Coordinates of all heavy atoms in Angstrom, one line a residue:
M395 N 186.4 -49.4 38.7 CA 184.9 -49.9 38.9 C 184.1 -48.6 38.7 O 184.4 -47.5 38.9 CB 184.9 -50.3 40.3 CG 183.5 -50.7 40.8 SD 183.4 -51.3 42.4 CE 181.8 -51.7 42.5
A396 N 183.0 -48.8 38.2 CA 182.0 -47.8 38.0 C 181.4 -47.3 39.4 O 181.5 -47.8 40.3 CB 180.9 -48.3 37.1
N397 N 180.8 -46.0 39.2 CA 180.2 -45.4 40.5 C 179.1 -46.3 40.8 O 178.3 -47.0 40.1 CB 179.8 -44.1 40.1 CG 180.9 -43.1 40.2 OD1 182.0 -43.3 40.6 ND2 180.5 -41.9 39.7
V398 N 178.9 -46.3 42.1 CA 177.8 -47.0 42.7 C 176.8 -45.9 43.4 O 177.4 -45.0 44.1 CB 178.2 -48.0 43.8 CG1 177.0 -48.6 44.4 CG2 179.1 -49.0 43.0
T399 N 175.5 -46.0 43.3 CA 174.6 -45.0 44.0 C 174.1 -45.8 45.2 O 173.4 -46.9 45.1 CB 173.5 -44.6 43.1 OG1 174.1 -43.8 42.1 CG2 172.6 -43.7 43.8
Y400 N 174.2 -45.2 46.3 CA 173.5 -45.7 47.5 C 172.4 -45.0 48.0 O 172.4 -43.7 47.8 CB 174.6 -45.7 48.7 CG 175.7 -46.4 48.6 CD1 177.0 -46.0 47.9 CD2 175.8 -47.8 48.9 CE1 177.9 -46.8 47.9 CE2 176.9 -48.6 48.6 CZ 178.0 -48.1 48.2 OH 179.1 -48.9 48.0
F401 N 171.3 -45.5 48.4 CA 170.1 -44.9 48.9 C 169.8 -45.3 50.3 O 170.0 -46.5 50.7 CB 168.8 -45.5 48.2 CG 168.9 -45.2 46.6 CD1 169.4 -46.1 45.7 CD2 168.6 -44.0 45.9 CE1 169.6 -46.1 44.4 CE2 168.8 -43.8 44.7 CZ 169.3 -44.9 43.8
V402 N 169.7 -44.1 51.2 CA 169.8 -44.5 52.6 C 168.5 -43.7 53.1 O 168.3 -42.5 52.8 CB 171.0 -43.8 53.2 CG1 171.1 -44.0 54.7 CG2 172.2 -44.5 52.6
M403 N 167.9 -44.2 54.1 CA 166.8 -43.6 55.0 C 167.3 -43.4 56.4 O 168.0 -44.3 57.0 CB 165.6 -44.4 55.0 CG 164.4 -43.7 55.8 SD 164.4 -43.9 57.5 CE 164.3 -45.6 57.8
V404 N 167.2 -42.3 57.0 CA 167.6 -42.1 58.4 C 166.5 -41.4 59.1 O 165.9 -40.5 58.8 CB 168.8 -41.0 58.4 CG1 169.1 -40.6 59.8 CG2 170.0 -41.4 57.5
P405 N 166.0 -42.1 60.2 CA 164.9 -41.7 61.1 C 165.5 -40.7 62.1 O 166.7 -41.0 62.5 CB 164.3 -43.0 61.7 CG 165.4 -44.1 61.6 CD 166.4 -43.5 60.5
F406 N 164.8 -39.9 62.6 CA 165.2 -38.9 63.7 C 164.3 -39.2 65.0 O 163.1 -39.3 64.8 CB 165.1 -37.5 63.3 CG 166.2 -37.2 62.3 CD1 166.0 -37.5 60.9 CD2 167.4 -36.6 62.7 CE1 167.1 -37.3 60.1 CE2 168.3 -36.3 61.9 CZ 168.3 -36.6 60.4
K407 N 164.7 -39.1 66.1 CA 163.9 -39.1 67.4 C 164.3 -37.9 68.2 O 165.2 -37.2 68.0 CB 164.3 -40.4 68.2 CG 165.7 -40.3 68.7 CD 166.0 -41.6 69.5 CE 167.4 -41.6 70.1 NZ 167.6 -42.8 70.9
D408 N 163.3 -37.7 69.1 CA 163.5 -36.5 70.0 C 164.0 -37.1 71.2 O 163.3 -37.9 72.0 CB 162.1 -35.9 70.3 CG 162.2 -34.7 71.1 OD1 163.2 -34.5 71.8 OD2 161.1 -33.9 71.2
A409 N 165.3 -36.6 71.7 CA 165.8 -37.1 72.9 C 166.0 -36.0 73.9 O 166.9 -35.1 73.6 CB 167.2 -37.8 72.5
E410 N 165.0 -35.9 74.7 CA 165.1 -34.8 75.7 C 165.0 -33.5 75.1 O 165.9 -32.6 75.4 CB 166.2 -35.0 76.7 CG 165.9 -36.2 77.5 CD 167.2 -36.5 78.5 OE1 168.0 -35.6 78.7 OE2 167.3 -37.7 78.9
G411 N 164.2 -33.2 74.1 CA 164.1 -31.9 73.5 C 165.2 -31.6 72.4 O 165.2 -30.6 71.7
E412 N 166.0 -32.7 72.1 CA 167.0 -32.4 71.0 C 166.7 -33.5 69.9 O 166.6 -34.7 70.1 CB 168.4 -32.6 71.5 CG 169.5 -32.4 70.6 CD 170.9 -32.6 71.3 OE1 171.1 -32.4 72.5 OE2 171.7 -32.9 70.5
L413 N 166.9 -33.1 68.7 CA 166.7 -33.9 67.5 C 167.9 -34.8 67.3 O 169.0 -34.2 67.1 CB 166.3 -33.1 66.3 CG 165.7 -34.0 65.1 CD1 164.4 -34.6 65.5 CD2 165.5 -33.0 63.8
V414 N 167.9 -36.2 67.3 CA 168.8 -37.1 67.1 C 168.6 -37.9 66.0 O 167.7 -38.7 65.9 CB 169.3 -37.7 68.5 CG1 170.3 -38.8 68.3 CG2 169.4 -36.9 69.6
A415 N 169.7 -38.1 65.1 CA 169.6 -39.1 64.0 C 169.9 -40.5 64.6 O 170.7 -40.7 65.3 CB 170.7 -38.7 62.9
E416 N 169.0 -41.4 64.1 CA 169.1 -42.8 64.6 C 169.9 -43.4 63.4 O 170.4 -42.9 62.4 CB 167.8 -43.4 64.7 CG 167.0 -42.9 65.8 CD 165.8 -43.7 66.1 OE1 164.8 -43.4 65.5 OE2 165.7 -44.5 67.0
Q417 N 170.2 -44.8 63.5 CA 170.9 -45.6 62.5 C 170.2 -45.5 61.1 O 169.0 -45.9 61.0 CB 171.0 -47.0 63.0 CG 171.8 -47.9 62.1 CD 173.3 -47.6 62.1 OE1 173.9 -47.2 63.0 NE2 173.9 -47.5 60.9
G418 N 171.1 -45.2 60.2 CA 170.5 -45.1 58.8 C 170.3 -46.5 58.2 O 170.9 -47.6 58.7
V419 N 169.4 -46.6 57.3 CA 169.0 -48.0 56.7 C 169.3 -47.8 55.2 O 168.8 -47.0 54.5 CB 167.6 -48.3 56.9 CG1 167.3 -49.5 56.2 CG2 167.2 -48.3 58.4
Q420 N 170.2 -48.7 54.7 CA 170.5 -48.7 53.2 C 169.4 -49.4 52.5 O 168.8 -50.4 53.0 CB 171.7 -49.5 52.9 CG 172.1 -49.4 51.4 CD 173.5 -49.9 51.2 OE1 174.3 -50.0 52.0 NE2 173.8 -50.2 49.9
C421 N 168.9 -48.8 51.4 CA 167.6 -49.3 50.7 C 168.1 -49.6 49.3 O 169.0 -49.1 48.8 CB 166.6 -48.2 50.6 SG 166.1 -47.6 52.2
P422 N 167.4 -50.5 48.5 CA 167.8 -50.9 47.3 C 167.4 -49.9 46.2 O 168.0 -50.1 45.1 CB 166.9 -52.2 47.0 CG 165.8 -52.1 47.9 CD 166.2 -51.3 49.2
S423 N 166.6 -49.0 46.3 CA 166.3 -48.0 45.3 C 165.7 -46.7 45.9 O 165.5 -46.6 47.2 CB 165.0 -48.6 44.5 OG 163.9 -48.6 45.3
E424 N 165.6 -45.7 45.2 CA 165.1 -44.5 45.6 C 163.6 -44.5 46.1 O 163.4 -44.0 47.0 CB 165.1 -43.4 44.4 CG 164.7 -42.0 44.8 CD 165.1 -41.1 43.7 OE1 166.0 -41.1 42.9 OE2 164.2 -40.0 43.7
G425 N 162.8 -45.3 45.3 CA 161.4 -45.5 45.7 C 161.3 -46.2 47.2 O 160.5 -45.9 48.0
S426 N 162.2 -47.1 47.4 CA 162.2 -47.9 48.5 C 162.7 -46.9 49.8 O 162.1 -46.9 50.9 CB 163.2 -49.0 48.6 OG 163.4 -49.6 49.7
A427 N 163.6 -46.0 49.5 CA 164.1 -45.1 50.6 C 163.0 -44.1 50.9 O 162.7 -43.9 52.1 CB 165.4 -44.4 50.1
K428 N 162.3 -43.7 49.9 CA 161.1 -42.7 50.2 C 160.1 -43.5 50.9 O 159.5 -42.9 52.0 CB 160.6 -42.2 48.9 CG 161.4 -41.3 48.3 CD 160.8 -40.7 46.9 CE 161.7 -39.8 46.1 NZ 161.0 -39.5 44.8
A429 N 159.7 -44.8 50.7 CA 158.7 -45.5 51.4 C 159.2 -45.8 52.8 O 158.3 -45.6 53.6 CB 158.5 -46.7 50.6
Q430 N 160.4 -46.1 52.9 CA 160.9 -46.3 54.3 C 160.8 -45.1 55.2 O 160.5 -45.1 56.3 CB 162.5 -46.8 54.2 CG 162.5 -48.2 53.6 CD 162.2 -49.2 54.7 OE1 162.1 -48.9 56.0 NE2 162.1 -50.4 54.2
A431 N 161.1 -43.9 54.5 CA 161.0 -42.7 55.4 C 159.5 -42.3 55.8 O 159.2 -42.0 56.9 CB 161.6 -41.4 54.5
R432 N 158.6 -42.6 54.9 CA 157.1 -42.3 55.1 C 156.7 -43.4 56.3 O 156.0 -43.0 57.1 CB 156.3 -42.6 53.9 CG 156.5 -41.4 53.0 CD 155.4 -41.5 51.8 NE 155.6 -42.6 51.0 CZ 156.4 -42.6 49.8 NH1 157.0 -41.4 49.6 NH2 156.6 -43.6 49.1
S433 N 157.1 -44.6 56.2 CA 156.9 -45.6 57.0 C 157.4 -45.3 58.5 O 156.7 -45.6 59.5 CB 157.4 -47.1 56.6 OG 157.1 -48.1 57.5
A434 N 158.6 -44.9 58.6 CA 159.1 -44.4 59.8 C 158.4 -43.4 60.6 O 158.2 -43.6 61.7 CB 160.7 -44.0 59.7
V435 N 157.9 -42.4 59.9 CA 157.0 -41.4 60.5 C 155.8 -42.0 60.9 O 155.3 -41.7 61.9 CB 156.9 -40.3 59.5 CG1 155.9 -39.2 60.0 CG2 158.3 -39.5 59.3
A436 N 155.2 -42.8 60.0 CA 153.9 -43.4 60.4 C 154.1 -44.3 61.6 O 153.1 -44.5 62.4 CB 153.4 -44.3 59.2
R437 N 155.2 -44.9 61.8 CA 155.5 -45.7 63.1 C 155.8 -44.8 64.3 O 156.0 -45.4 65.4 CB 156.6 -46.7 62.8 CG 156.2 -47.8 61.9 CD 157.4 -48.8 61.9 NE 158.7 -48.3 61.9 CZ 159.4 -48.1 60.6 NH1 158.8 -48.4 59.5 NH2 160.5 -47.7 60.6
G438 N 156.0 -43.5 64.3 CA 156.1 -42.6 65.4 C 157.3 -41.9 65.4 O 157.5 -41.2 66.6
T439 N 158.2 -42.0 64.5 CA 159.5 -41.2 64.6 C 159.1 -39.7 64.4 O 158.1 -39.5 63.7 CB 160.7 -41.6 63.7 OG1 160.2 -41.4 62.4 CG2 160.9 -43.0 63.9
V440 N 160.0 -38.8 64.9 CA 159.6 -37.3 64.7 C 159.8 -37.1 63.2 O 158.9 -36.3 62.8 CB 160.8 -36.5 65.5 CG1 160.6 -35.2 65.2 CG2 160.6 -36.8 67.0
G441 N 160.6 -37.6 62.5 CA 160.8 -37.3 61.1 C 161.8 -38.3 60.6 O 162.4 -39.1 61.3
A442 N 161.9 -38.3 59.2 CA 163.0 -39.1 58.5 C 163.3 -38.5 57.2 O 162.6 -37.6 56.7 CB 162.4 -40.5 58.3
I443 N 164.5 -38.8 56.7 CA 164.9 -38.3 55.4 C 165.3 -39.4 54.7 O 165.6 -40.6 55.2 CB 166.1 -37.3 55.6 CG1 167.3 -37.9 56.1 CG2 165.7 -36.0 56.2 CD1 168.6 -37.1 56.1
A444 N 165.5 -39.2 53.3 CA 166.0 -40.2 52.4 C 167.0 -39.5 51.4 O 166.6 -38.3 51.1 CB 164.9 -41.0 51.7
F445 N 168.1 -40.1 51.3 CA 169.1 -39.3 50.5 C 169.8 -40.4 49.5 O 169.7 -41.6 49.9 CB 170.1 -38.5 51.2 CG 171.0 -39.3 52.1 CD1 172.2 -39.8 51.8 CD2 170.6 -39.6 53.3 CE1 173.1 -40.4 52.5 CE2 171.5 -40.2 54.3 CZ 172.8 -40.7 53.8
K446 N 170.5 -39.9 48.5 CA 171.3 -40.7 47.7 C 172.7 -40.1 47.6 O 172.9 -39.0 47.8 CB 170.7 -41.1 46.4 CG 170.6 -39.6 45.5 CD 169.9 -40.0 44.3 CE 169.9 -38.7 43.3 NZ 169.1 -38.9 42.1
R447 N 173.6 -41.1 47.4 CA 175.0 -40.6 47.2 C 175.8 -41.5 46.4 O 175.5 -42.8 46.4 CB 175.7 -40.8 48.7 CG 177.1 -40.1 48.8 CD 177.5 -40.0 50.1 NE 178.7 -39.2 50.2 CZ 179.4 -39.0 51.2 NH1 179.2 -39.5 52.5 NH2 180.5 -38.4 51.2
S448 N 176.5 -41.0 45.4 CA 177.2 -41.8 44.4 C 178.7 -41.8 44.7 O 179.2 -40.7 45.1 CB 176.9 -41.4 43.0 OG 175.5 -41.6 42.8
G449 N 179.3 -42.9 44.3 CA 180.8 -42.9 44.4 C 181.4 -44.1 44.1 O 180.8 -45.1 43.8
D450 N 182.7 -44.2 44.1 CA 183.6 -45.4 43.9 C 184.0 -46.0 45.3 O 185.0 -45.3 45.8 CB 184.6 -45.1 43.0 CG 185.4 -46.3 42.5 OD1 185.4 -47.4 43.3 OD2 186.2 -46.2 41.5
P451 N 183.5 -47.0 45.7 CA 183.8 -47.5 47.1 C 185.3 -48.1 47.1 O 185.8 -48.0 48.1 CB 182.9 -48.6 47.3 CG 182.3 -49.0 46.1 CD 182.4 -47.7 45.3
N452 N 185.8 -48.5 45.9 CA 187.2 -48.8 45.9 C 188.3 -47.8 46.2 O 189.3 -48.3 46.7 CB 187.5 -49.5 44.6 CG 186.7 -50.8 44.3 OD1 186.5 -51.5 45.3 ND2 186.5 -51.1 43.1
I453 N 187.9 -46.6 45.9 CA 189.0 -45.5 46.1 C 188.4 -44.7 47.2 O 189.1 -43.6 47.5 CB 189.3 -44.8 44.8 CG1 188.0 -44.2 44.1 CG2 190.0 -45.7 43.8 CD1 188.4 -43.3 43.0
G454 N 187.2 -44.7 47.6 CA 186.7 -43.9 48.7 C 186.2 -42.6 48.4 O 186.2 -41.6 49.2
E455 N 185.9 -42.3 47.1 CA 185.4 -41.0 46.7 C 184.0 -40.9 46.4 O 183.5 -41.8 45.6 CB 186.3 -40.6 45.4 CG 187.6 -40.2 45.6 CD 188.5 -39.7 44.4 OE1 187.7 -39.4 43.3 OE2 189.6 -39.6 44.4
Y456 N 183.3 -40.0 47.0 CA 181.8 -40.0 46.9 C 181.5 -38.5 46.7 O 182.1 -37.6 47.2 CB 181.2 -40.5 48.1 CG 181.6 -41.9 48.5 CD1 182.5 -42.3 49.2 CD2 180.6 -42.8 47.9 CE1 182.8 -43.7 49.5 CE2 180.9 -44.3 48.2 CZ 182.0 -44.6 49.0 OH 182.3 -45.9 49.3
S457 N 180.3 -38.4 45.9 CA 179.7 -37.1 45.8 C 179.0 -36.7 47.1 O 178.8 -37.5 48.0 CB 178.8 -37.2 44.6 OG 177.7 -38.1 45.0
E458 N 178.5 -35.5 47.1 CA 177.9 -35.0 48.2 C 176.5 -35.7 48.3 O 175.8 -36.0 47.2 CB 177.5 -33.5 48.2 CG 178.8 -32.6 48.5 CD 178.6 -31.2 48.8 OE1 177.4 -30.8 49.2 OE2 179.4 -30.4 48.4
A459 N 175.9 -35.9 49.4 CA 174.5 -36.7 49.4 C 173.5 -35.6 48.9 O 173.6 -34.2 49.1 CB 174.2 -36.8 51.0
V460 N 172.6 -36.2 48.3 CA 171.4 -35.4 47.8 C 170.2 -35.8 48.4 O 169.8 -37.0 48.3 CB 171.4 -35.7 46.2 CG1 170.1 -35.1 45.6 CG2 172.6 -35.2 45.5
L461 N 169.5 -34.9 49.0 CA 168.1 -35.1 49.7 C 167.1 -35.5 48.7 O 167.0 -34.8 47.7 CB 167.8 -33.9 50.5 CG 166.5 -34.3 51.3 CD1 166.7 -35.2 52.5 CD2 166.2 -32.7 51.9
I462 N 166.4 -36.7 48.9 CA 165.4 -37.1 47.9 C 164.1 -37.0 48.6 O 163.0 -37.1 47.9 CB 165.7 -38.4 47.2 CG1 165.9 -39.6 48.3 CG2 166.8 -38.3 46.2 CD1 166.1 -40.9 47.6
C463 N 164.0 -37.0 49.9 CA 162.7 -37.1 50.6 C 163.0 -36.6 52.0 O 163.9 -36.9 52.7 CB 162.1 -38.5 50.6 SG 160.6 -38.6 51.5
S464 N 162.0 -35.9 52.5 CA 162.0 -35.4 53.9 C 160.6 -35.4 54.5 O 159.5 -34.9 53.8 CB 162.4 -33.9 54.0 OG 162.4 -33.4 55.3
E465 N 160.4 -36.2 55.6 CA 159.0 -36.5 56.1 C 159.0 -36.2 57.5 O 160.0 -36.2 58.2 CB 158.9 -38.0 56.0 CG 158.6 -38.6 54.6 CD 157.4 -38.2 53.9 OE1 156.5 -37.9 54.5 OE2 157.4 -38.1 52.7
G466 N 157.9 -35.7 58.0 CA 157.7 -35.3 59.4 C 158.2 -33.9 59.7 O 158.3 -33.1 58.9
N467 N 158.5 -33.7 61.0 CA 158.9 -32.5 61.6 C 160.4 -32.3 61.7 O 161.0 -32.7 62.8 CB 158.1 -32.2 63.0 CG 158.3 -30.9 63.4 OD1 158.6 -30.0 62.8 ND2 158.0 -30.7 64.7
L468 N 161.0 -31.9 60.8 CA 162.5 -31.8 60.7 C 162.9 -30.2 60.4 O 162.2 -29.5 59.7 CB 163.1 -32.6 59.7 CG 162.8 -34.2 59.9 CD1 163.2 -34.9 58.7 CD2 163.6 -34.7 61.1
P469 N 164.1 -29.9 61.0 CA 164.5 -28.5 60.7 C 165.0 -28.5 59.2 O 165.4 -29.6 58.7 CB 165.7 -28.3 61.6 CG 166.1 -29.7 62.1 CD 164.9 -30.6 61.8
D470 N 165.2 -27.3 58.6 CA 165.7 -27.1 57.3 C 167.1 -27.6 57.3 O 167.5 -28.1 56.2 CB 165.6 -25.7 57.0 CG 164.2 -25.0 56.7 OD1 163.4 -26.0 56.4 OD2 164.0 -24.0 56.9
G471 N 167.9 -27.6 58.2 CA 169.3 -27.9 58.0 C 169.7 -29.4 58.5 O 170.7 -29.6 58.9
V472 N 168.7 -30.3 58.1 CA 168.8 -31.5 58.6 C 170.1 -32.3 57.9 O 170.8 -33.1 58.6 CB 167.6 -32.4 58.3 CG1 167.3 -32.6 56.9 CG2 167.6 -33.7 59.2
M473 N 170.3 -32.0 56.6 CA 171.5 -32.7 56.0 C 172.9 -32.2 56.7 O 173.8 -33.0 56.8 CB 171.5 -32.2 54.6 CG 170.4 -32.9 53.7 SD 170.5 -34.6 53.7 CE 171.8 -35.1 52.8
E474 N 173.0 -30.8 57.2 CA 174.1 -30.4 57.8 C 174.2 -31.2 59.2 O 175.4 -31.4 59.7 CB 174.0 -28.9 58.2 CG 174.3 -28.1 57.0 CD 173.0 -28.0 56.0 OE1 171.8 -28.3 56.5 OE2 173.1 -27.7 54.8
M475 N 173.1 -31.6 59.9 CA 173.4 -32.5 61.1 C 174.0 -33.8 60.8 O 174.8 -34.3 61.6 CB 171.9 -32.8 61.6 CG 171.2 -31.5 62.1 SD 169.6 -32.0 62.6 CE 169.8 -33.1 64.0
L476 N 173.8 -34.3 59.6 CA 174.4 -35.6 59.4 C 175.8 -35.4 59.0 O 176.6 -36.4 59.2 CB 173.7 -36.2 58.1 CG 172.2 -36.7 58.4 CD1 171.6 -37.2 57.1 CD2 172.1 -37.8 59.5
A477 N 176.3 -34.3 58.5 CA 177.6 -34.1 58.2 C 178.5 -33.9 59.3 O 179.7 -34.0 59.2 CB 177.7 -33.0 57.2
A478 N 177.9 -33.4 60.4 CA 178.7 -33.1 61.7 C 179.2 -34.3 62.3 O 178.8 -35.4 62.2 CB 177.7 -32.3 62.6

């Protein structure tokens, strides 16, 4: 099977002074993921990111996630937070 690219938006909230990632939302396109991130911040989340990741779901091999959008007040190492 050919590689598939997934686009995901992840909002972040402030939980008692600690930045916490909320449930990610799969989006149909890069533009949609960016729009969802902007919308999440407009609705009051601390920040949001959008990223893409490609791979073959049949064999479970995926490339590293690539940040495509960062909105709001987020630390520089936000992608490392998701990997943890």
Side-chain angles (χ1 to χ4, degrees):
M395 179 178 183
N397 279 353
V398 176
T399 299
Y400 296 96
F401 300 96
V402 180
M403 183 280 298
V404 179
F406 288 82
K407 67 178 180 178
D408 184 344
E410 299 178 15
E412 186 175 334
L413 193 62
V414 176
E416 295 187 277
Q417 181 68 38
V419 176
Q420 189 171 336
C421 302
S423 68
E424 184 171 328
S426 174
K428 289 177 180 180
Q430 290 281 343
R432 286 190 294 272
S433 178
V435 172
R437 290 189 313 268
T439 64
V440 172
I443 63 167
F445 66 91
K446 64 182 177 181
R447 189 172 190 187
S448 298
D450 187 337
N452 289 327
I453 60 174
E455 288 186 8
Y456 297 93
S457 63
E458 287 190 33
V460 176
L461 185 67
I462 56 176
C463 177
S464 176
E465 297 288 333
N467 187 16
L468 298 171
D470 291 335
V472 72
M473 291 299 288
E474 287 78 19
M475 291 174 61
L476 293 176

